[in-house]
Amino acid sequence: MSGANTFGRLFCVTTFGESHGPAIGCVIDGCPPGIAIAPEDFRADLDRRATGRSRFTSQRKEADEVEILSGVYQGLTTGTPIGLLIRNTDARSKDYADIAQSFRPGHADYTYLAKYGIRDPRGGGRSSARETTMRVAAAVIAKRWLAERCGIRVQGWLSALGPYTPTRFDLSAVEHNPFFWPDPTQLPELERFMDGLRKSGDSVGARLSALAEGVPPGLGEPIYGKLDADLAQALMGINAVKAVEIGDGVAVAAQRGSEHRDEIGPAGFVSNHAGGILGGISSGQNVLVHATIKPTSSILLPGASVDSSGNAVEVVTRGRHDPCVGMRAVPIVEAMLALVLVDHVLRHRAQCGDVPPQPRVAAGSGPFVFPEGI
Amino acid sequence: MSGANTFGRLFCVTTFGESHGPAIGCVIDGCPPGIAIAPEDFRADLDRRATGRSRFTSQRKEADEVEILSGVYQGLTTGTPIGLLIRNTDARSKDYADIAQSFRPGHADYTYLAKYGIRDPRGGGRSSARETTMRVAAAVIAKRWLAERCGIRVQGWLSALGPYTPTRFDLSAVEHNPFFWPDPTQLPELERFMDGLRKSGDSVGARLSALAEGVPPGLGEPIYGKLDADLAQALMGINAVKAVEIGDGVAVAAQRGSEHRDEIGPAGFVSNHAGGILGGISSGQNVLVHATIKPTSSILLPGASVDSSGNAVEVVTRGRHDPCVGMRAVPIVEAMLALVLVDHVLRHRAQCGDVPPQPRVAAGSGPFVFPEGI
Amino acid sequence: MSGANTFGRLFCVTTFGESHGPAIGCVIDGCPPGIAIAPEDFRADLDRRATGRSRFTSQRKEADEVEILSGVYQGLTTGTPIGLLIRNTDARSKDYADIAQSFRPGHADYTYLAKYGIRDPRGGGRSSARETTMRVAAAVIAKRWLAERCGIRVQGWLSALGPYTPTRFDLSAVEHNPFFWPDPTQLPELERFMDGLRKSGDSVGARLSALAEGVPPGLGEPIYGKLDADLAQALMGINAVKAVEIGDGVAVAAQRGSEHRDEIGPAGFVSNHAGGILGGISSGQNVLVHATIKPTSSILLPGASVDSSGNAVEVVTRGRHDPCVGMRAVPIVEAMLALVLVDHVLRHRAQCGDVPPQPRVAAGSGPFVFPEGI
Amino acid sequence: MSGANTFGRLFCVTTFGESHGPAIGCVIDGCPPGIAIAPEDFRADLDRRATGRSRFTSQRKEADEVEILSGVYQGLTTGTPIGLLIRNTDARSKDYADIAQSFRPGHADYTYLAKYGIRDPRGGGRSSARETTMRVAAAVIAKRWLAERCGIRVQGWLSALGPYTPTRFDLSAVEHNPFFWPDPTQLPELERFMDGLRKSGDSVGARLSALAEGVPPGLGEPIYGKLDADLAQALMGINAVKAVEIGDGVAVAAQRGSEHRDEIGPAGFVSNHAGGILGGISSGQNVLVHATIKPTSSILLPGASVDSSGNAVEVVTRGRHDPCVGMRAVPIVEAMLALVLVDHVLRHRAQCGDVPPQPRVAAGSGPFVFPEGI
């Protein structure tokens, strides 16, 4: 058994660290050798998830300098475990002193104490989303290997922000606005909405989507290691996620079989309602996943709670926080998607590395028939 | 690493068997000793998931007689692996002979071949939902231990059938109609709908929900073994599931933080939007999960596909099938919920068995404020 | 985590069954697809380990007919789990009735009760070496794949029987005598020794060795999945084994570094003291392992013990037993060696499947410089 | 699956770091909460294994200052992963520059290259025994918990040094001489032997033993997670170990059943040939293990080898090294013993935590009937 802080079965990422402890870090074990990697390669994705990117996200500033402690020699991964370390440099623990004895509603304060009999209250300790920094860092290596060796590329975006959903879909726009939003025409409206939200002291939920292109058919291990099941585990394990969908997701409840099943023509699949996975195995189409994130409970509006003695208290979050944590989660969703995929590529070639090439159905038309297909 | 056909980390269920092979079976490893179990104890839940229960489900008839091969001595589990076996007695493989060379749309025919280079086409082979029989059987033991030793009880129901959702919620009604439907007033309408659907040869999706009562706080292992993440893996791995939700699920995208966070009063939690899980750890409230199942692709309406040489073919399912497979999946959802819970009870007492008792927040008002709370 | 009754990380064998229960069986998960396998293929190795082969082994007669329940279609493995079943047909439980309340010295009676609070006393229940039948069966498939796809062959022999060790080494003789003994000149002496032992009602220990030829360099996963470490786990887990050695084994304590280190010449390794493993990774030389098995405690001589109330009792084994269980263990040692190797081949190609070919040191002179080199 | 650099199933230790990289470290996952731990607690055991302790060991000097990065709050473990870090401060990589292109005989140079296609030659990289520092550090926490919560104590010693074995046994002497030797009367002779060896430039093997006192009956998980099997895996995975023995070990080959089986009287077990383990489960007696370590191949005497182009070269080790690495391995053997035990305590209470108390056989006379009993 891997410990509970290890993700993956063959490409294994073990993370450690609390929000306001000395450092966070991870160990990547089982990484294929020969991948070029340098400290600066982590910069782009860490910046994408970083706090402080815009006025709509938490103002915590972390340098997030990654130190490579092991597993890389002369710029190449060696196959031995890769240790990565980031020092925490902007941890204002005093912000949290007054909540050490009470349970913030909607947070893990109570459940950590109930489980372990002890908790680190500084910034949420281990339950803070700060931990996801290391997921993103580890996935930088995964993404590179997937791209270079397998031709697989992942890209995420925001597919709902509170009451808003995109009215059109332009993937190329996603990286050019702070919302990772695929519809540039809606940006002014979103900004107004977020400004109002921030002033109100409240927060709102979001839905994130991500796509993996170039996934070969055959990834996934029925019955209990299905690709979609492992993706669900990966995405539901991201802080605040309350729903995971594959392909058409919750919409399938109201669909007919004649509508949902993706027919196949000589040119390949005709549609992609399935999100690229059939029977828990990738079909060669784009893999499409969605995660819905709850509104953060760290808001400026007072909430009712109790302290550890059971007395009623009023809790107000004074620390830094985001009105919509979903915006920062796009690189995290991408990271988990990439980590699941690299793991399944390794698992697949372990068992089936000597299977002769099979006839292949073309990926056909992708999932980009917006909005119906997404 | 457990193999891909093993579920659970400590309470491990390994299943085997194809839809039309000689038998299906499972091995339950890590089961606590001293649980009373007899072959007839499997009957009730296997009947609940069985085909042939009503005119709305597949007419395949399986005796589903469970033989206990090991791990039970004088009626009690001994702590050694429990082998269970069910012979397949009604496997009409000829029904599937004509699809051995083509890929049914929406099925795993193509993906199994793409992965393994070989597939058993008889009834879908390993990808058939017949495999879930063993999940239900294994969960009978899990449910018993959870109930007797932990006071935990699970119950599932159908929370959407195609376009229908319950207009009221009466959990006591669920076991008294073939739809596992919580609103008895809608049954005539559902029957008409299903009759029409069956005649049309088409199928429809569904949403299933399940509840675990009596769950103590503290279950779940952050960061990568969170209770909700493991539930998502378990439920998404059920055949045809395309979405998994915890608590308020996809609805949280449009919620405000002030609305979603479950406040706590001296009498306990005031609401349960979270579905009984905070930070990946159970809060002591009811655990509430949902799974959305796609409409089966095994329908009587012809569909376009290709054969293994890439030629266009038309596929019509002639075997037995269900217009809504979701109806039979209620005991399967319960089974996966129970298997995750028993596993986490064991995992929790492994790490935290010597933690002194902690102050406990009362479960408070449950999730049964229908329909908003579900 | 795999359950405790699962062996292997990728090629996973889960066994179940008690000595005198209805059946024993196993599930092989993660097996590469496309291997030809039929029920009769298990016959040879099961006979090699079977009881009743000579007057020197237990007279229990089991038909040991293997039924393939799943995972094989049209004679080929499909990549899905392979269920194997053997019914117990000659279980004389009454032989063991009188020991149900006392603890046989040297047996697991007490420890199973101490652990689980319940035990199946019939023939030792789960602790019986009957379980190893399934290891041998599972290894038949592993051996075939290793031979056909990798050119790896395993062969075991007895390297000590009580006070005797071979005076010369002829591997070709091993399969032609009931002792799996590599020195045919000693057979008459061994027979006299064993006849005397059997009459005395006592038993004796043994040492077994096994060799894997054709192992490529690169197998093994430092630091905690080293090839030799996993072999040690595999062999020490065989019933009655008390020591495991790799290469020169315990003799290395008294060796000098200048003597032990295997020098390398342009024609390859000059010697093989290491047993084919350096730093936990195979070197391309023959892999050589040894396991020492204690004398069975099931002897006809009375022994002192207590019953479950703590009263002194005298225990005499009346059931069938072997004066030297080591003789039957040769195929079991081979099986565990093969299972470890197949697992490591899969693990190696998972992580390093895209490593370019490296310069290779020839295997050079093998380990067959008897007796010093073995 | 845990990665190959993770040890343990529930108490999981993941190590990383190369001999001459920036740092070595580990992550301890699954550790029970509430254990008091501080940086200075690691000092004693790290010093016991440290280089430079006497003139008989390598003169490399490492400060080995442990930094606690996570998982400890206000001096107590919190149940979240514990990150430990040690910077490498005395890494003279130039010593190894001339062997970067050739394969040292008896080392892992060739096998690492053969496996990964790349290797870090500085000080042996990952294959260096420097990695074991983190095993010892992690075991400090394990030992504390075992002692405080379970009353289990481990102690190791050297039971053979080249041709020498102790002539008497005094466990209290072990910590008072640099050889961890239980017979103080032999120390002058050993010193002379080691001085001569050091001058000769050669090295010698050793045998180490360790004992765990206070182990309750019931630890160990048959069939594939037996306590002795897991101990064998743990010990064989220590650098240079070529043999692992439990209890009487290799001596059992020549024993009779009537001699080996440990009889039981009303006062408890009469002897402990089994080493405290029966059927893979602890019996409540002292657990006794042995590991035999090869003579290090890092010697001053030239050895024949080839370079990576296959040309014959002569290799001389110029870096720092030990004439008998076994001397430093005593705390490592203790560490692995402790790590296996803590893991099995957690595993046992996971499955059997609700088993009612059973009748207990007293541990009886321990294994200290030297030299026969050890």
Side-chain angles (χ1 to χ4, degrees):
Chain A
M1 176 176 186
S2 57
N5 291 278
T6 296
F7 184 82
R9 296 193 162 204
L10 291 178
F11 190 99
C12 299
V13 180
T14 302
T15 69
F16 62 91
E18 276 79 37
S19 178
H20 290 60
I24 56 174
C26 73
V27 185
I28 304 164
D29 196 7
C31 183
I35 310 174
I37 204 77
E40 57 270 23
D41 295 334
F42 300 97
R43 173 57 43 213
D45 270 355
L46 292 187
D47 280 352
R48 289 173 76 224
R49 87 162 277 294
T51 61
R53 176 173 170 164
S54 75
R55 71 179 181 274
F56 307 115
T57 52
S58 159
Q59 295 305 304
R60 176 172 176 171
K61 300 259 188 296
E62 288 283 1
D64 285 355
E65 290 295 337
V66 176
E67 185 183 9
I68 300 175
L69 296 176
S70 65
V72 176
Y73 179 64
Q74 297 182 336
L76 297 176
T77 61
T78 62
T80 61
I82 302 167
L84 302 180
L85 191 73
I86 296 177
R87 294 277 168 185
N88 288 327
T89 57
D90 184 33
R92 305 185 198 166
S93 298
K94 62 177 161 34
D95 286 345
Y96 299 90
D98 55 343
I99 56 158
Q101 298 307 319
S102 60
F103 308 127
R104 292 172 296 165
H107 277 280
D109 299 342
Y110 169 60
T111 54
Y112 268 67
L113 184 66
K115 180 175 190 66
Y116 300 115
I118 181 176
R119 73 183 169 101
D120 179 349
R122 301 167 301 170
R126 181 69 179 153
S127 73
S128 164
R130 175 111 184 102
E131 182 271 343
T132 59
T133 308
M134 298 318 302
R135 308 189 193 196
V136 172
V140 165
I141 302 176
K143 283 176 171 182
R144 177 162 295 182
W145 189 81
L146 286 171
E148 294 182 355
R149 305 291 166 97
C150 308
I152 298 175
R153 206 178 67 85
V154 302
Q155 173 69 53
W157 64 92
L158 215 62
S159 51
L161 175 63
Y164 295 93
T165 53
T167 53
R168 63 175 91 172
F169 189 82
D170 177 3
L171 194 56
S172 69
V174 165
E175 293 296 324
H176 300 293
N177 68 76
F179 302 101
F180 296 93
W181 195 256
D183 180 356
T185 68
Q186 291 172 298
L187 295 177
E189 194 173 356
L190 293 182
E191 291 183 7
R192 278 192 301 275
F193 174 73
M194 290 298 287
D195 276 333
L197 191 64
R198 190 161 50 89
K199 284 168 193 157
S200 76
D202 213 338
S203 64
V204 78
R207 183 175 183 253
L208 297 93
S209 301
L211 178 80
E213 298 175 288
V215 178
L219 304 188
E221 296 192 315
I223 295 297
Y224 299 116
K226 288 177 176 175
L227 184 59
D228 39 5
D230 283 2
L231 286 168
Q233 211 271 351
L235 297 176
M236 193 67 89
I238 297 174
N239 306 47
V241 169
K242 302 303 287 183
V244 176
E245 302 167 85
I246 308 290
D248 284 0
V250 295
V252 303
Q255 291 176 347
R256 297 292 167 101
S258 55
E259 170 192 5
H260 178 85
R261 63 175 172 180
D262 299 305
E263 292 186 301
I264 311 172
F269 287 98
V270 175
S271 56
N272 187 7
H273 295 283
I277 303 173
L278 287 170
I281 302 174
S282 64
S283 67
Q285 294 189 279
N286 290 335
V287 170
L288 182 61
V289 299
H290 318 277
T292 304
I293 283 193
K294 71 176 182 181
T296 180
S297 304
S298 295
I299 54 178
L300 303 182
L301 307 177
S305 186
V306 295
D307 62 21
S308 52
S309 304
N311 304 312
V313 296
E314 187 173 78
V315 174
V316 182
T317 301
R318 291 192 219 283
R320 298 150 300 189
H321 65 274
D322 300 305
C324 180
V325 290
M327 289 167 51
R328 293 207 279 136
V330 165
I332 306 169
V333 167
E334 289 176 1
M336 298 315 289
L337 174 54
L339 290 175
V340 169
L341 287 173
V342 72
D343 199 49
H344 272 282
V345 171
L346 301 188
R347 287 155 74 174
H348 178 62
R349 78 177 178 190
Q351 184 180 12
C352 299
D354 55 338
V355 169
Q358 299 302 314
R360 183 161 172 176
V361 170
S365 59
F368 286 113
V369 189
F370 184 81
E372 296 80 11
I374 299 178
Chain B
M1 177 178 186
S2 57
N5 291 278
T6 295
F7 184 82
R9 295 193 163 205
L10 291 178
F11 190 98
C12 300
V13 180
T14 303
T15 69
F16 62 90
E18 275 79 37
S19 178
H20 290 59
I24 57 174
C26 74
V27 184
I28 304 164
D29 196 6
C31 183
I35 310 174
I37 204 77
E40 56 270 23
D41 295 333
F42 301 98
R43 175 56 43 214
D45 269 355
L46 291 187
D47 279 353
R48 288 173 76 225
R49 87 162 276 295
T51 62
R53 176 173 170 163
S54 76
R55 71 178 180 274
F56 307 114
T57 52
S58 160
Q59 296 304 304
R60 177 173 176 171
K61 301 258 188 296
E62 288 284 0
D64 285 354
E65 290 294 338
V66 176
E67 184 183 10
I68 300 175
L69 296 175
S70 65
V72 176
Y73 179 64
Q74 296 183 335
L76 297 176
T77 60
T78 62
T80 62
I82 303 166
L84 302 180
L85 191 74
I86 297 177
R87 295 279 169 183
N88 288 326
T89 56
D90 184 34
R92 303 185 199 166
S93 298
K94 61 178 162 31
D95 285 345
Y96 298 90
D98 55 344
I99 56 158
Q101 298 307 318
S102 61
F103 308 128
R104 292 171 297 165
H107 277 280
D109 300 343
Y110 168 61
T111 54
Y112 268 67
L113 184 66
K115 181 175 190 65
Y116 300 114
I118 180 176
R119 72 181 169 104
D120 178 348
R122 301 166 302 168
R126 181 70 179 153
S127 73
S128 164
R130 175 110 184 102
E131 183 272 342
T132 60
T133 307
M134 298 318 302
R135 308 189 193 196
V136 172
V140 165
I141 301 176
K143 284 177 170 181
R144 176 162 294 183
W145 189 81
L146 287 171
E148 294 183 355
R149 305 291 166 97
C150 309
I152 298 174
R153 206 177 67 84
V154 302
Q155 174 69 53
W157 64 91
L158 214 63
S159 51
L161 175 63
Y164 296 93
T165 54
T167 54
R168 64 175 91 172
F169 189 82
D170 177 3
L171 195 56
S172 68
V174 166
E175 294 295 324
H176 300 293
N177 68 75
F179 301 102
F180 296 93
W181 195 256
D183 180 357
T185 68
Q186 290 172 300
L187 295 177
E189 195 175 356
L190 294 182
E191 291 183 6
R192 278 192 302 274
F193 173 74
M194 289 298 288
D195 276 334
L197 191 64
R198 189 161 51 89
K199 283 169 193 155
S200 76
D202 213 337
S203 63
V204 79
R207 183 175 182 254
L208 297 93
S209 300
L211 178 80
E213 298 175 288
V215 178
L219 304 189
E221 296 191 315
I223 296 296
Y224 300 116
K226 288 177 175 175
L227 184 59
D228 39 4
D230 283 2
L231 286 168
Q233 211 270 353
L235 297 176
M236 193 66 89
I238 297 174
N239 307 48
V241 170
K242 302 302 286 184
V244 176
E245 302 167 86
I246 308 290
D248 284 0
V250 294
V252 302
Q255 291 176 347
R256 297 292 166 102
S258 55
E259 169 192 5
H260 178 84
R261 62 176 172 178
D262 298 305
E263 292 186 301
I264 311 171
F269 287 98
V270 175
S271 57
N272 188 6
H273 295 283
I277 303 174
L278 287 170
I281 301 174
S282 64
S283 66
Q285 293 189 278
N286 290 336
V287 170
L288 182 60
V289 299
H290 317 277
T292 306
I293 283 192
K294 71 177 183 180
T296 180
S297 304
S298 295
I299 53 178
L300 303 182
L301 306 176
S305 186
V306 296
D307 62 21
S308 51
S309 305
N311 304 310
V313 295
E314 187 173 77
V315 174
V316 182
T317 302
R318 293 192 217 282
R320 299 151 299 190
H321 66 275
D322 300 305
C324 180
V325 289
M327 289 166 51
R328 292 206 281 136
V330 166
I332 306 169
V333 167
E334 289 175 0
M336 298 315 288
L337 175 54
L339 291 175
V340 170
L341 287 172
V342 73
D343 199 47
H344 273 281
V345 171
L346 302 188
R347 288 155 72 175
H348 178 61
R349 77 177 178 191
Q351 184 181 12
C352 299
D354 54 340
V355 169
Q358 300 302 313
R360 183 161 173 177
V361 170
S365 59
F368 287 111
V369 190
F370 184 80
E372 297 79 12
I374 300 179
Chain C
M1 176 178 189
S2 57
N5 291 278
T6 296
F7 184 82
R9 295 194 162 204
L10 291 179
F11 190 99
C12 300
V13 180
T14 302
T15 69
F16 61 90
E18 276 78 39
S19 178
H20 291 59
I24 57 174
C26 74
V27 184
I28 304 164
D29 195 7
C31 182
I35 310 174
I37 204 77
E40 57 270 22
D41 295 333
F42 300 97
R43 174 55 44 214
D45 270 355
L46 292 187
D47 280 353
R48 289 173 75 224
R49 88 162 275 295
T51 62
R53 175 174 171 161
S54 75
R55 71 177 180 276
F56 308 114
T57 52
S58 159
Q59 297 304 304
R60 176 173 175 170
K61 301 258 190 296
E62 287 284 0
D64 285 353
E65 290 294 339
V66 176
E67 184 183 10
I68 300 174
L69 296 175
S70 65
V72 176
Y73 178 65
Q74 296 183 337
L76 297 175
T77 61
T78 62
T80 62
I82 302 167
L84 301 180
L85 192 74
I86 296 177
R87 294 278 168 183
N88 287 326
T89 56
D90 184 33
R92 305 185 198 165
S93 298
K94 61 177 160 33
D95 286 345
Y96 298 89
D98 55 345
I99 57 156
Q101 297 308 318
S102 61
F103 307 127
R104 291 171 297 165
H107 276 280
D109 299 343
Y110 169 60
T111 54
Y112 267 67
L113 184 66
K115 181 175 190 65
Y116 300 115
I118 181 176
R119 72 181 170 103
D120 178 348
R122 301 167 301 168
R126 183 68 180 154
S127 73
S128 163
R130 174 111 185 100
E131 182 272 343
T132 60
T133 309
M134 297 319 302
R135 308 189 192 197
V136 172
V140 165
I141 301 176
K143 284 177 170 182
R144 177 163 294 183
W145 189 80
L146 286 171
E148 294 183 356
R149 305 291 166 97
C150 308
I152 298 175
R153 208 178 65 86
V154 303
Q155 174 68 53
W157 64 92
L158 215 62
S159 51
L161 176 62
Y164 295 94
T165 55
T167 53
R168 64 175 89 171
F169 189 82
D170 177 4
L171 194 56
S172 70
V174 165
E175 294 295 324
H176 299 292
N177 68 76
F179 301 101
F180 295 94
W181 195 255
D183 180 356
T185 67
Q186 290 173 298
L187 295 176
E189 194 173 356
L190 293 182
E191 291 183 5
R192 278 192 302 275
F193 173 74
M194 289 298 288
D195 276 334
L197 190 65
R198 189 162 50 90
K199 283 168 193 156
S200 76
D202 213 338
S203 64
V204 78
R207 183 175 183 255
L208 297 93
S209 300
L211 178 80
E213 299 176 288
V215 178
L219 304 189
E221 295 191 315
I223 295 297
Y224 300 116
K226 288 177 175 174
L227 184 59
D228 38 5
D230 283 2
L231 286 167
Q233 210 269 354
L235 296 176
M236 192 66 89
I238 297 174
N239 306 48
V241 169
K242 301 303 286 184
V244 176
E245 302 167 86
I246 308 290
D248 284 0
V250 294
V252 302
Q255 292 176 349
R256 297 292 167 103
S258 55
E259 170 192 5
H260 178 85
R261 62 176 172 178
D262 299 305
E263 292 186 301
I264 311 171
F269 287 97
V270 175
S271 56
N272 188 6
H273 295 283
I277 303 173
L278 287 169
I281 301 174
S282 64
S283 67
Q285 294 189 278
N286 290 336
V287 170
L288 183 60
V289 299
H290 317 277
T292 304
I293 282 191
K294 72 177 183 180
T296 180
S297 304
S298 295
I299 54 179
L300 303 182
L301 307 176
S305 187
V306 294
D307 62 22
S308 51
S309 305
N311 304 311
V313 295
E314 187 173 77
V315 174
V316 183
T317 301
R318 293 192 216 284
R320 299 149 300 188
H321 66 274
D322 299 305
C324 180
V325 289
M327 289 167 51
R328 293 206 279 136
V330 166
I332 306 169
V333 167
E334 289 176 0
M336 298 315 288
L337 175 54
L339 291 176
V340 170
L341 287 172
V342 72
D343 198 48
H344 272 282
V345 171
L346 301 188
R347 288 155 72 174
H348 178 61
R349 77 177 178 189
Q351 185 181 11
C352 299
D354 54 338
V355 169
Q358 299 301 314
R360 183 162 173 176
V361 170
S365 59
F368 287 111
V369 191
F370 184 81
E372 296 80 10
I374 299 180
Chain D
M1 177 179 189
S2 57
N5 292 278
T6 296
F7 183 82
R9 295 193 162 206
L10 290 178
F11 189 98
C12 299
V13 180
T14 302
T15 71
F16 62 91
E18 276 78 37
S19 178
H20 290 58
I24 57 173
C26 75
V27 185
I28 304 164
D29 196 7
C31 182
I35 310 174
I37 204 78
E40 56 271 22
D41 295 334
F42 301 97
R43 173 56 44 214
D45 270 356
L46 292 187
D47 279 352
R48 290 173 75 226
R49 88 163 277 293
T51 62
R53 176 173 171 163
S54 76
R55 70 178 182 275
F56 308 114
T57 52
S58 160
Q59 296 305 304
R60 176 173 176 170
K61 301 258 189 296
E62 287 284 0
D64 285 356
E65 290 294 338
V66 176
E67 185 183 10
I68 301 175
L69 295 176
S70 65
V72 176
Y73 179 64
Q74 296 183 336
L76 298 175
T77 60
T78 62
T80 62
I82 302 167
L84 302 180
L85 191 74
I86 296 177
R87 293 278 168 184
N88 288 326
T89 56
D90 184 33
R92 304 185 198 164
S93 298
K94 60 177 162 35
D95 286 344
Y96 298 90
D98 55 343
I99 55 158
Q101 298 307 318
S102 61
F103 307 126
R104 292 172 297 165
H107 276 281
D109 299 343
Y110 169 61
T111 53
Y112 268 67
L113 184 66
K115 181 174 190 66
Y116 300 115
I118 181 176
R119 72 181 170 104
D120 178 349
R122 301 167 301 167
R126 182 69 179 153
S127 73
S128 164
R130 175 111 184 101
E131 183 271 343
T132 60
T133 308
M134 298 318 303
R135 308 190 192 196
V136 172
V140 165
I141 302 176
K143 283 177 171 182
R144 176 162 295 183
W145 190 79
L146 287 171
E148 294 183 355
R149 305 291 166 96
C150 309
I152 298 174
R153 207 178 66 85
V154 303
Q155 173 69 53
W157 64 91
L158 214 62
S159 50
L161 176 63
Y164 296 94
T165 54
T167 54
R168 64 176 87 170
F169 189 82
D170 177 4
L171 193 57
S172 69
V174 165
E175 293 295 324
H176 299 291
N177 69 75
F179 302 101
F180 296 94
W181 195 258
D183 180 357
T185 67
Q186 290 172 299
L187 295 177
E189 194 173 358
L190 293 182
E191 291 183 7
R192 279 193 301 275
F193 174 74
M194 289 298 288
D195 276 334
L197 190 65
R198 189 161 50 90
K199 284 170 194 156
S200 76
D202 213 338
S203 63
V204 78
R207 182 174 183 256
L208 297 94
S209 300
L211 179 80
E213 299 176 287
V215 178
L219 303 189
E221 296 192 314
I223 295 297
Y224 300 116
K226 289 177 175 175
L227 184 59
D228 39 4
D230 283 1
L231 286 168
Q233 211 270 353
L235 297 176
M236 192 67 89
I238 297 173
N239 306 48
V241 170
K242 302 302 287 184
V244 176
E245 302 167 86
I246 308 290
D248 284 359
V250 295
V252 303
Q255 291 176 347
R256 297 293 167 102
S258 54
E259 169 192 5
H260 178 85
R261 62 175 172 180
D262 299 305
E263 291 185 302
I264 311 171
F269 287 97
V270 175
S271 56
N272 188 6
H273 295 283
I277 303 173
L278 287 170
I281 301 174
S282 65
S283 66
Q285 293 190 277
N286 289 337
V287 170
L288 183 60
V289 299
H290 317 277
T292 305
I293 282 192
K294 71 176 184 182
T296 179
S297 304
S298 295
I299 55 178
L300 302 182
L301 307 176
S305 186
V306 295
D307 62 20
S308 51
S309 304
N311 303 312
V313 295
E314 187 172 76
V315 174
V316 183
T317 301
R318 293 193 216 282
R320 298 149 300 189
H321 66 276
D322 301 305
C324 179
V325 289
M327 288 167 50
R328 293 205 280 135
V330 166
I332 307 169
V333 167
E334 289 175 1
M336 298 315 288
L337 175 54
L339 291 176
V340 170
L341 287 173
V342 72
D343 199 48
H344 273 281
V345 171
L346 301 188
R347 286 154 74 174
H348 178 61
R349 77 177 178 190
Q351 185 181 10
C352 299
D354 54 339
V355 169
Q358 299 301 313
R360 182 161 172 177
V361 170
S365 59
F368 287 112
V369 191
F370 185 80
E372 297 79 12
I374 299 178

